[in-house]
């Protein structure tokens, strides 16, 4: 395996559609919950330990070889908001397209055939990590990092926040990212014996209801 | 592991001319250019000019609304199932150039759901003079500027003005009112573009979009030849 593949996959410029999504930040900004670097840090921390942990666990389990259909159903069960399910599937489909061109292989082709309209993005991410020769921990790191880097980048655009401050928020979260990635891999390990119910189901109700409200806005910068 | 593109996969990946079932996909033409230059109006006029002879569809990339798609729907230039809006996260040039995955999905879904199609027009939200379409998304691109944006734009150049397959200078009817020198714009455009075609048009005139429509027909003839 090449560890450098992780840099390619985790690069914010990897062309898999993430740039059009704010991870709930646009709604939180409009609602006045994110107004500056400090509230962005709170938002990201909350997202990391809920959506981030769940996504990282799904990605780690997929990278470890768990059946993607079972994981996709588990992701649905952990995503009450239809708008978020749609966004996750759309991003999964876009990631799969980019990955099939960058790390071609039978497993990704099979996934595309099985989910022509997309599987949940973290599940795809885990299989992409596999295709890139990476392991469950790498996949977990990617998913956990994306859960906070997306909102941070979006907030720079939404609030004209100082990009140095937004990046500092991400840097301060690094130790917590380590812990979330470790917990995710631990949960994914238990899936072999206990099934997908062993995966965390931490939820963030405000992200879910906010995503539903956001989907109905007539004017918005981000798709979610 | 070999790292070149595979062509036997379940769904298309990029710009391959053949769809997974072996048929030729639709020609894809991008329309970009500064805000308000007349991209949507040109798309609407092209749809009206070509819809009787061709099967076509449109993808719009708005910055923060669905205005372009809604304009096309309101004016019923095509049936609603042939118009798709892509959301761009405040960056249309990212969605048409750096990360084209959402646009590729949109053109392929249109082709799957309403096809077979001859032509898909992809409009970018109004952006700056450097915004161009990826070759992975479109086969040819039209850059639309207008006379009211200043008659020095062709001289300033930039990737859109210099490299687009067709440069359209729109709203020539307004030239007398804004003091734009069309002769100078034509000379500058020719100098910048090294022989690539330029069309001056007014959608308010009798001829309207006819020259651009003729150019599109020629591209299509070359595509299907
Ligand atoms: N006078 C005149 N007005 C025109 C012409 N073409 C377009 N317009 C008008 O210019 C305005 C902007 O046209 P659009 O087609 O919406 O421009 P656009 O490039 O799609 O704009 P964005 O998508 O917002 O960047 C509208 O009010 C059009 O009616 C023309 O040839 N002459
Ligand atoms: Mg427009």
């Amino acid at each position: 395996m090449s560890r450098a593949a992780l840099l390619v996959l985790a690069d914010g410029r990897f062309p898999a559609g993430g740039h059009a999504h704010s991870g709930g930040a646009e709604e939180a900004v409009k609602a006045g919950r994110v107004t500056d670097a400090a509230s962005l840090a709170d938002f990201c921390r909350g997202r990391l330990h809920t959506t981030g942990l769940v996504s990282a666990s799904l990605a780690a389990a997929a990278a470890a070889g768990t059946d993607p259909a079972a994981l996709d159903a588990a992701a649905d069960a952990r995503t009450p908001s239809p708008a978020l399910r749609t966004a996750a599937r759309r991003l999964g489909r876009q990631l799969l397209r980019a990955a099939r061109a960058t790390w071609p292989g039978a497993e990704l082709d099979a996934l595309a055939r099985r989910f022509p309209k997309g599987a949940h993005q973290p599940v795809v991410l885990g299989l992409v990590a596999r295709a890139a020769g990476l392991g469950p921990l790498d996949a977990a790191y990617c998913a956990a990092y994306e859960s906070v880097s997306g909102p941070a980048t979006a907030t720079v655009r939404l609030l004209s926040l100082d990009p140095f401050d937004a990046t500092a928020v991400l840097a301060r979260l690094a130790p917590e990212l380590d812990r979330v990635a470790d917990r995710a891999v631990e949960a994914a390990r238990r899936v072999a014996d206990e099934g997908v119910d062993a995966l965390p189901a931490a939820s963030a109700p405000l992200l879910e209801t906010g995503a539903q409200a956001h989907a109905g806005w007539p004017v918005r910068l981000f798709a979610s | 592991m070999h790292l070149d593109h595979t062509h036997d996969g379940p769904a298309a990946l990029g710009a391959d001319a053949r769809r997974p079932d072996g048929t030729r996909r639709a020609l894809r033409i991008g329309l970009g250019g500064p805000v308000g230059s007349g991209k949507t109006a040109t798309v609407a006029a092209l749809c009206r000019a070509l819809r009787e002879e061709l099967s076509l569809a449109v993808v719009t990339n708005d910055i923060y609304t669905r205005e372009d798609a809604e304009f096309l729907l309101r004016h019923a230039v095509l049936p609603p199932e042939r118009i798709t809006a892509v959301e761009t996260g405040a960056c249309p040039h990212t969605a048409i150039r750096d990360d084209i995955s959402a646009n590729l999905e949109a053109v392929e879904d249109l082709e799957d759901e309403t096809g077979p199609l001859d032509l898909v027009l992809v409009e970018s939200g109004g952006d700056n003079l450097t915004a161009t379409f990826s070759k992975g998304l479109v086969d040819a691109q039209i850059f639309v500027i207008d006379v009211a944006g200043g008659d020095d734009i062709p001289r300033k150049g930039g990737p859109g003005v210099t490299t687009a397959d067709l440069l359209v200078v729109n709203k020539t009817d307004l030239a007398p009112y804004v003091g734009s020198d069309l002769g100078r714009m034509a000379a500058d455009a020719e100098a910048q573009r090294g022989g690539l075609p330029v069309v001056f048009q007014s959608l308010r005139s009798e001829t309207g979009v006819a020259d651009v429509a003729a150019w599109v027909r020629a591209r299509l003839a070359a595509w299907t030849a």
Side-chain angles (χ1 to χ4, degrees), chain A residues 168-195:
Chain A
V169 164
L170 296 177
R172 296 296 97 76
L173 282 171
E176 286 177 65
L177 279 159
D178 289 337
R179 284 199 293 281
V180 165
D182 285 341
R183 276 187 66 190
V185 170
E186 185 48 43
R189 209 171 279 134
R190 286 170 44 207
V191 169
D193 295 329
E194 300 168 42

Side-chain angles (χ1 to χ4, degrees), chain B residues 1-17:
Chain B
M1 186 167 58
H2 66 107
L3 283 178
D4 45 18
H5 281 260
T6 51
H7 295 266
D8 51 355
L13 290 182
D16 294 356

